[in-house]
Amino acid sequence: MNALTRPDPSRSRAVLPVLVIDDHPIVLQGCRRVLEDAGIETVAEATGVVSGYRAFFRLRPPVVICDLTFQGNGLAGLGLIRRMRAVEPSTRILVFSMHNDPVIVSRALEAGALGYVLKDHASNELYQAFEQVRIGEVYLDRRLATEVAMLRADPRRTPETQLTPREQQILARLAQGKSYGTIASELSVSYKTVTNACSQMRQKLGVRTLAELIHVAVTQAQRQG
């Protein structure tokens, strides 16, 4: 995160505690600094989906800052957001993520997030996003807001059309019954790249299992002739 524009600490002291869920220590440290400079005196941290949910259930914080991607769990943050909102519907959740895909942003908002800010933006934007979400207002930067609005307004822009070219290549090979290893070999990518892409496609297409993803792949292949 870039240099922080220092806010007025008196504005946020009523919000205690804030929970930050992210599996990168540097991100946790940066978030803590932003929040402490904003006057937040109690910042709780968790580094995974399970520990994050347990901390949330124990603390019931009014505001949560949460990543979407966790090592070994893909976009598990989406499910975590749904679970937290089911327990405490009043909880205000800000997603802090590297993903700028409007489909993923839209799914995060549908899951219950109130705001979404990218990790490659300046620290003062994280503070601004936090302040907006803290008072119950939606926060998206202008570009993301425009792309999400276009996605929702155009019925032709289905989740399938939002797959990247690489994801489309992998989906087509899944429809042919090929294994992860075979797909990785054919595309000259790592096995992990294929599994991560399949995890992201499941989130984009709204399916939970590999079998459901393969069904989508076969259906799309049949439509395309």
Side-chain angles (χ1 to χ4, degrees), residues 79-193:
L80 176 59
I81 290 170
R82 294 189 189 97
R83 291 182 68 190
M84 291 189 293
R85 289 277 295 172
V87 171
E88 287 288 349
S90 63
T91 299
R92 292 160 181 176
I93 300 173
L94 171 64
V95 171
F96 189 39
S97 172
M98 59 179 282
H99 294 289
N100 60 5
D101 187 321
V103 173
I104 294 177
V105 177
S106 182
R107 290 201 175 277
L109 298 176
E110 290 169 0
L114 197 56
Y116 197 109
V117 65
L118 298 174
K119 287 184 176 180
D120 61 359
H121 286 188
S123 297
N124 63 315
E125 182 162 350
L126 174 59
Y127 167 73
Q128 292 166 7
F130 168 76
E131 282 295 298
Q132 290 288 104
V133 168
R134 176 184 69 85
I135 61 175
E137 295 184 3
V138 175
Y139 182 89
L140 288 175
D141 71 33
R142 183 174 298 180
R143 182 183 64 79
L144 281 182
T146 299
E147 291 181 353
V148 170
M150 290 176 62
L151 180 68
R152 293 178 172 180
D154 187 349
R156 296 170 297 179
R157 296 186 68 182
T158 64
E160 289 177 29
T161 68
Q162 300 305 304
L163 299 181
T164 67
R166 175 68 77 199
E167 289 168 346
Q168 288 282 5
Q169 290 175 329
I170 293 172
L171 192 67
R173 284 164 173 79
L174 285 175
Q176 296 167 3
K178 295 181 179 178
S179 67
Y180 285 171
T182 300
I183 295 171
S185 178
E186 288 186 358
L187 296 179
S188 299
V189 299
S190 69
Y191 185 92
K192 184 177 180 180
T193 295

Side-chain angles (χ1 to χ4, degrees), residues 32-47:
R32 175 177 288 277
R33 180 189 170 197
V34 169
L35 294 170
E36 289 177 346
D37 284 351
I40 304 301
E41 297 175 351
T42 304
V43 180
E45 298 175 354
T47 58

